[in-house]
């Protein structure tokens, strides 16, 4: 049976944030959180959902998809790649198309995509800069909630202050939790022109972090500094994690061929969709690298990356953005009927609901805006 796309709607929503969220990687305090929803309507009456990139300007390209058979996913991904090259990252559309296919097959996407497992360990990905005493107390609470791993952000003016947080957390949790550290040097928010670390700086920090048994050091250099990352990786015992916003499939090839990384972190709702995500997972498997998708967005994007991670069975930890009160599941997943929660043993567990398995909240209209 052929199912054809009849229309595509792009809707924008915004949630006011009071108290605001102070993202460590942003030079501006965040007082609202925006989410874009892509709806793919079909002649079978099935509607698929995707979210991630903001999809600005997509209307002019809708005709490239309307009337097409949803099952030609590699064709759709190729078309989206041409748009990503010339315009923007319209990858949430690819996820919405897959949501249709999952619903049509009456299978959750993780089963359609490989079905290795229905659960993936989550790591608690913090987002703010907190002092050592506050952070170590919070991490104890995260552990009580089930988390077996936590990610700490580095972005104080003085790197000693960041290292003090890592030291305090390690002292508090001992060997009971893994600790990841995110240097956030890979890219900058719009308007932020601060230069990233260079190899020497990153190596100084890495040498310090080696004392604390850090599981990985994330984005210690600019996102396409393949040779620098390789040099750093050879010089430190820490795993190097990269790739969260790399836009080109060729970047992942370079990470592997130049020996730049131990952990690859594609995010399928902002780069390459499921099509690229699966190829990167295969690269990781073939080259003995960790596959740990990035997912700092809303719950729909989290679910898309979770289905891929579960399907492949090679993801030791999936990112779970969580840093209350600034960043809570209720805020992060405000477009969904229910927030995505972690089990008491720290796993993200998928249900047998078809497709992405998400339900939008009934009163979503109240958050709708023209542009976020
Ligand atoms: Mg990161």
């Amino acid at each position: 049976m052929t199912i054809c796309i009849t229309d595509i709607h792009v809707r924008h929503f915004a949630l006011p944030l009071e108290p605001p969220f102070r993202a460590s990687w942003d030079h501006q305090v965040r007082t609202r959180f925006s989410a874009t929803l892509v709806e793919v309507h079909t002649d079978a009456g099935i509607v698929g959902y995707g979210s991630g990139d903001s999809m600005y300007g997509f209307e002019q390209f809708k005709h490239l998809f309307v009337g097409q058979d949803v099952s030609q996913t590699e064709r759709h991904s190729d078309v989206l790649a041409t748009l990503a090259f010339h315009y923007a990252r319209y990858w949430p559309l690819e996820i919405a198309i897959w949501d249709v296919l999952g619903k049509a097959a009456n299978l959750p996407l993780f089963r359609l995509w490989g079905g290795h497992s229905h659960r993936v360990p989550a790591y608690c990905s913090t987002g703010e800069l907190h002092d050592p005493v506050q952070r170590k107390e919070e991490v104890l609470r995260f552990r009580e909630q089930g988390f077996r791993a936590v990610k700490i952000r580095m972005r104080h003016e003085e790197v000693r202050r960041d290292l003090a947080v890592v030291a305090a957390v390690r002292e508090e949790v001992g060997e009971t939790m893994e600790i990841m550290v995110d240097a956030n040097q890979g890219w900058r928010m719009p308007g932020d022109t601060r230069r990233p670390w260079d190899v020497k700086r990153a190596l100084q920090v890495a040498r310090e972090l080696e004392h604390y048994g850090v599981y990985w050091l994330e984005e210690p250099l600019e996102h396409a500094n393949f040779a620098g990352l390789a040099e750093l990786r050879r010089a430190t015992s820490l795993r190097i994690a990269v790739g969260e916003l790399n836009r080109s499939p060729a970047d992942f090839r370079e990470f592997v061929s130049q020996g730049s990384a131990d952990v690859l972190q594609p995010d399928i709702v902002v780069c390459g969709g499921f099509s690229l995500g699966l190829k990167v997972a295969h690269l990781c498997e073939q080259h003995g690298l960790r596959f740990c998708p990035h997912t700092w967005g809303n719950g729909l994007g989290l679910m898309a990356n979770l289905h891929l991670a579960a399907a492949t069975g090679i993801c030791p930890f999936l990112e779970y953005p969580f840093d209350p009160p600034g960043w809570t599941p209720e805020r992060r997943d405000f477009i969904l009927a229910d927030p995505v929660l972690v089990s008491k043993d720290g796993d993200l567990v998928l249900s047998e609901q078809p497709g992405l398995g998400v339900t939008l909240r009934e009163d979503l209209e109240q958050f709708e805006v023209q542009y976020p």
Side-chain angles (χ1 to χ4, degrees), residues 151 153 182 184 218-219 244 294:
K151 190 163 85 185
R153 304 280 169 173
D182 195 343
N184 278 121
E218 181 170 330
E219 294 209 304
E244 65 181 37
H294 166 271

